[in-house]
């Protein structure tokens, strides 16, 4: 086993995982902000969801 080539490969994999986790955290935060904004928008509309007509 070549230790000198293994170390940079592990370092690169660790860097990619760290970037992936940070990107996932940013996407999750953005989704939460958008969900909150949509919830507030829907709450501001009077009568939303009071009458639902469903025909089968």
């Amino acid at each position: 086993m070549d230790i000198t080539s293994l170390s940079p490969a592990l370092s690169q994999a660790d860097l990619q995982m760290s970037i992936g986790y940070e990107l996932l955290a940013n996407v999750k935060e953005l989704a939460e902000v958008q969900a909150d904004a949509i919830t507030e928008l829907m709450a501001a509309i009077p009568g939303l969801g009071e009458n639902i007509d469903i025909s089968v």
Side-chain angles (χ1 to χ4, degrees):
M1 178 183 290
D2 187 14
I3 300 298
T4 57
S5 64
L6 184 61
S7 179
L10 289 175
S11 179
Q12 183 68 24
D14 186 45
L15 176 64
Q16 289 176 350
M17 288 292 289
S18 296
I19 291 172
Y21 286 141
E22 289 298 320
L23 181 61
L24 183 62
N26 288 341
V27 168
K28 180 182 173 191
E29 182 181 347
L30 180 61
E32 289 174 351
V33 169
Q34 288 178 342
D36 290 341
I38 290 173
T39 303
E40 289 178 19
L41 180 63
M42 290 174 65
I45 300 172
L48 181 67
E50 289 180 1
N51 298 324
I52 299 175
D53 295 330
I54 300 173
S55 47
V56 179

